[in-house]
Amino acid sequence: MSTTSAPTRTSLKLRWLPLLAVLGPGLLAGLSDDDPAGITTYSVLGANYGYQLLWVLLLSTIALVIFHNLGARMGVVTGQGLIGLIRQRFGVRAAALGLTVLVVANIGTTCAEFAGIAAGFELFGISRYISVPLAAIIVSLLVVRGSFHRVEHLFMLLATVFIAYIAAGFLSHPNWGQAARGLVVPTMPLTRDAVLIATATLGTTLAPWGLSFIQSYAVDKKLMPSDLKFERIDVITGAVLTGVIGFFVVISCAGTLHVQGVKINDAADAAKALEPLAGSLASALFALGLIGAALLAAAILPLSTAYSITEFSGGQAALDSDFKHARGFYISFGVIVTMGALIVLIPGAPLIPILVLTQVLNAVLLLPLLIFMFIIARDKSLMGEFVASKTSSAIYLVTIALITLCVGALLVLG
Amino acid sequence: MLELNRYLGAPIHRSDGQLWGKVEDVVVTGVSHPLVHALIGHADHRLWLITWDQVERFERTSIVLATSVEPTALEARPLEELQQAQFLLKRDVLDTQIIDVAGTRVARVSDVLLDHAHAGQLEVVGVDVGVASVLARLGLHRLGRKVPQKVVRWSDIHLTSDRGHELQLADENALVHTLNAAALKHLLAVVPAPDARQILDHLDDQTTQAVLADPTLARRLVLGSRRRFTRLQPWHRP
């Protein structure tokens, strides 16, 4: 007779407690992908194509789950960030090249985040010469002065601003039936613009800096292999929330701007255009979401870059370290924040070419990074018992093949 | 002093002067005083083991095999063919992260430094963790020469690569087993979390107690992820 008794309610609760402790890398890496560039892409997707391309968002979310999960696992098992692992496995040249492109692309993306902060505050009548320096000082103080826990708590608090998009989505009274159909039925007008926006959606969801961030952050959080089952839940939750928020941004625009035939260029345009169609509350919530998303990403982008630079050089990259022990880490962070903020503030700075170049660099960098990750995942000497199985490897390969098609389309048509 | 980077990829010739292949990696034996045991050569699209006694001459411009030597062909992954206390300098040391225990810092190896020991053997004596070697390896030799090397003695290093960490834990004379509680606390705070747990498992009871008297380390090492449920622990740095 079996002596095993059913687990009590208390033990069940205790079993799930560690999940709350592990939550973080997946949520933050995922949600920071919904940055101003992401919101802009989703807004244009909804405004121009209505609900039709929502399935692209679903596929992007699946790709995000797959590769963020791999990144977190690589970090937890090896105790190293992506650029550090690339240097160890592929040598100094591959790592130096990857790091250079990543840093240039990340500076460009940081500019996009500060431009989002500027545009968001300007919707409320606040000048960029006040909002951008203030945002730069706030994110710097947070990262330089805070412990890992303080930084993580405040990041998570900031991420709650994304609820604004869900509210804006409901206020725009979307057609839920059409939205559900667009999510699961893959149809697409075969035009250059449609292919471009579909590819851009994938590119903005699965970004090189997000991949390097989730791995470095999992290392800095000092997660153990025993945390991996909870970390998987964290990654899936983060990616699904990212997709859900993207979904609500798309339907906010699809139910209003698309129906009325309003064309927009960016997320700030979308917020303005929403006012007469969905009310001033929806418009304000959309703008508030934009500011929160930009602030979160403006902190995470430089942090991700500082992790990568320090991993390449081999120094200490930890939010809990003091300046004396992690000089390179903090100086890198400060330089990236300053550059991102300054470029946005320079009158007449060529922001649009910078953002286009950034998008191209991110697309070009994504593929080699995914291939490096695939090879490392299959390397038993690095991953030990957590080496990728044949099934997982096949899933990675199929995803990489699909992304190759998209990146190729972007480079050919872009 | 010999720098590993200058020999990796260097041509290997037969004793008659004919080009045979190139250097792929270097096998060393011993943890505290690693001596070069063999070269791994690359020729005819496969890897070969050339034991140190089969090497006639080992100079930067000229690595020559002894007369009538036939290197042993290796399987694709040389890892399985390594014996106890053997590791590879390129795979397990170069470009990996190390802990400089004396300098209480984390660093990444840019080059491995070797020196002549007794009886014609070569010994690993230290690593360069500075940018000079990185610049040289990127082809920026002139720039690299302007930057001084940052050398860490081999006796002050704890390796974090899988093989290196495993061998150091297994060798009772390795640095990790000779540290006092204060140095151990620093090491355990900076090595990757899974490595830290393994080191803790190798400590005697008294040292374990001394190390775990530090509440931050205790939270990190003993309670695992559960301790992080206390998400409201102080916001200031530990």
Side-chain angles (χ1 to χ4, degrees):
Chain A
M1 198 172 82
S2 167
T3 55
T4 314
S5 58
T8 62
R9 181 173 289 216
T10 319
S11 71
L12 271 175
K13 267 188 194 167
L14 276 176
R15 198 179 303 161
W16 288 98
L17 280 183
L19 171 63
L20 288 177
V22 170
L23 280 180
L27 277 175
L28 293 176
L31 289 173
S32 56
D33 280 328
D34 281 344
D35 60 351
I39 303 296
T40 293
T41 310
Y42 304 144
S43 304
V44 174
L45 186 86
N48 292 358
Y49 297 94
Y51 306 102
Q52 193 184 3
L53 296 182
L54 273 171
W55 60 272
V56 177
L57 195 61
L58 182 65
L59 286 185
S60 303
T61 305
I62 294 170
L64 192 66
V65 170
I66 291 170
F67 278 98
H68 273 195
N69 192 39
L70 175 58
R73 198 168 76 224
M74 282 163 53
V76 171
V77 173
T78 65
Q80 293 196 66
L82 183 57
I83 293 291
L85 267 186
I86 291 176
R87 181 168 163 193
Q88 178 171 335
R89 178 64 177 75
F90 301 98
V92 78
R93 281 170 190 252
L97 186 65
L99 179 70
T100 308
V101 180
L102 188 68
V103 169
V104 174
N106 284 5
I107 292 172
T109 313
T110 309
C111 285
E113 315 308 1
F114 279 109
I117 291 171
F121 275 101
E122 277 166 0
L123 288 170
F124 294 105
I126 298 168
S127 159
R128 65 177 53 199
Y129 293 99
I130 297 170
S131 62
V132 170
L134 203 62
I137 291 168
I138 290 171
V139 296
S140 301
L141 281 179
L142 171 64
V143 168
V144 174
R145 305 269 311 161
S147 69
F148 184 90
H149 282 94
R150 171 157 45 175
V151 174
E152 182 164 73
H153 294 157
L154 292 177
F155 278 171
M156 291 229 192
L157 191 68
L158 197 54
T160 55
V161 83
F162 284 110
I163 293 169
Y165 285 114
I166 297 178
F170 277 105
L171 286 171
S172 66
H173 304 295
N175 182 331
W176 296 105
Q178 282 187 30
R181 189 173 183 278
L183 198 61
V184 291
V185 181
T187 61
M188 182 174 183
L190 284 175
T191 61
R192 176 178 174 276
D193 283 353
V195 174
L196 273 183
I197 195 72
T199 308
T201 302
L202 175 71
T204 191
T205 312
L206 191 64
W209 59 267
L211 291 171
S212 61
F213 175 76
I214 192 167
Q215 191 169 335
S216 305
Y217 193 76
V219 175
D220 196 2
K221 197 173 164 102
K222 300 179 177 65
L223 294 180
M224 304 287 289
S226 54
D227 297 325
L228 275 174
K229 69 174 177 177
F230 296 111
E231 182 46 38
R232 195 171 302 131
I233 299 173
D234 170 48
V235 168
I236 294 172
T237 312
V240 169
L241 278 178
T242 307
V244 166
I245 287 152
F247 171 82
F248 276 96
V249 174
V250 173
I251 63 167
S252 298
C253 296
T256 51
L257 310 183
H258 180 66
V259 175
Q260 301 290 328
V262 179
K263 294 286 171 197
I264 54 161
N265 290 320
D266 58 29
D269 273 2
K272 264 186 284 190
L274 272 176
E275 189 164 1
L277 301 170
S280 56
L281 181 60
S283 169
L285 283 172
F286 205 92
L288 193 69
L290 177 66
I291 292 171
L295 258 177
L296 179 67
I300 284 184
L301 246 303
L303 181 58
S304 172
T305 318
Y307 277 136
S308 297
I309 293 173
T310 320
E311 282 155 14
F312 177 82
S313 62
Q316 207 153 311
L319 284 166
D320 275 339
S321 304
D322 53 28
F323 185 77
K324 188 181 147 209
H325 286 99
R327 202 169 286 153
F329 175 65
Y330 287 115
I331 290 176
S332 309
F333 180 88
V335 169
I336 305 290
V337 170
T338 311
M339 285 180 76
L342 273 182
I343 292 171
V344 171
L345 291 179
I346 295 170
L351 262 188
I352 304 272
I354 289 175
L355 300 188
V356 172
L357 176 71
T358 302
Q359 200 180 17
V360 173
L361 284 180
N362 275 330
V364 169
L365 187 60
L366 183 60
L367 272 183
L369 281 191
L370 293 179
I371 293 166
F372 282 147
M373 287 177 78
F374 174 75
I375 298 172
I376 292 169
R378 302 264 302 148
D379 189 331
K380 199 166 185 305
S381 70
L382 287 170
M383 296 297 289
E385 61 178 297
F386 296 95
V387 69
S389 64
K390 280 185 180 162
T391 318
S392 310
S393 303
I395 294 171
Y396 297 143
L397 275 183
V398 170
T399 318
I400 290 174
L402 285 174
I403 294 169
T404 309
L405 272 177
C406 289
V407 172
L410 180 72
L411 294 178
V412 172
L413 299 171
Chain B
M1 199 92 79
L2 286 71
E3 291 149 338
L4 177 72
N5 276 318
R6 295 179 179 249
Y7 293 89
L8 291 176
I12 303 173
H13 293 90
R14 288 188 183 280
S15 54
D16 59 7
Q18 191 189 347
L19 182 67
W20 175 82
K22 62 178 185 174
V23 180
E24 181 68 24
D25 210 331
V26 176
V27 185
V28 292
T29 303
V31 180
S32 307
H33 297 280
L35 293 170
V36 172
H37 165 78
L39 302 180
I40 291 181
H42 185 268
D44 297 331
H45 306 291
R46 62 182 310 178
L47 297 174
W48 305 78
L49 189 75
I50 308 156
T51 53
W52 191 238
D53 57 10
Q54 294 176 323
V55 179
E56 176 74 31
R57 198 157 15 127
F58 189 72
E59 289 164 8
R60 196 183 309 162
T61 50
S62 161
I63 298 171
V64 181
L65 299 176
T67 319
S68 70
V69 156
E70 278 311 316
T72 317
L74 288 169
E75 290 305 314
R77 281 190 227 124
L79 176 71
E80 284 84 28
E81 308 205 11
L82 287 183
Q83 293 164 8
Q84 261 188 336
Q86 285 187 345
F87 57 102
L88 301 176
L89 291 185
K90 181 181 167 192
R91 193 197 63 186
D92 301 323
V93 182
L94 187 66
D95 289 319
T96 66
Q97 204 159 39
I98 55 138
I99 316 298
D100 169 7
V101 178
T104 60
R105 62 178 169 168
V106 185
R108 202 170 277 280
V109 177
S110 311
D111 207 346
V112 181
L113 306 172
L114 303 130
D115 207 353
H116 294 284
H118 54 85
Q121 289 195 293
L122 276 181
E123 182 182 351
V124 179
V125 291
V127 294
D128 177 19
V129 295
V131 291
S133 301
V134 171
L135 292 170
R137 290 166 68 195
L138 293 173
L140 305 167
H141 296 280
R142 194 173 292 178
L143 198 59
R145 276 194 287 272
K146 291 182 182 164
V147 187
Q149 278 188 329
K150 275 190 195 170
V151 177
V152 184
R153 289 186 309 175
W154 186 259
S155 53
D156 292 337
I157 289 173
H158 182 77
L159 299 170
T160 66
S161 66
D162 218 28
R163 179 77 177 166
H165 173 71
E166 177 195 323
L167 289 182
Q168 282 167 312
L169 277 186
D171 185 324
E172 59 185 24
N173 294 320
L175 177 70
V176 63
H177 302 296
T178 64
L179 297 174
N180 60 27
L184 265 172
K185 280 182 195 172
H186 175 260
L187 179 69
L188 291 170
V190 293
V191 290
D195 291 2
R197 287 287 286 271
Q198 286 177 340
I199 293 173
L200 192 71
D201 290 343
H202 277 72
L203 300 180
D204 61 55
D205 291 347
Q206 200 182 349
T207 320
T208 306
Q209 274 183 2
V211 167
L212 295 182
D214 182 324
T216 312
L217 274 181
R219 275 200 301 272
R220 180 184 181 196
L221 299 174
V222 177
L223 301 173
S225 60
R226 270 158 213 261
R227 55 85 193 168
R228 268 176 259 108
F229 179 60
T230 53
R231 292 196 78 120
L232 294 176
Q233 59 184 275
W235 274 16
H236 58 74
R237 291 212 171 90

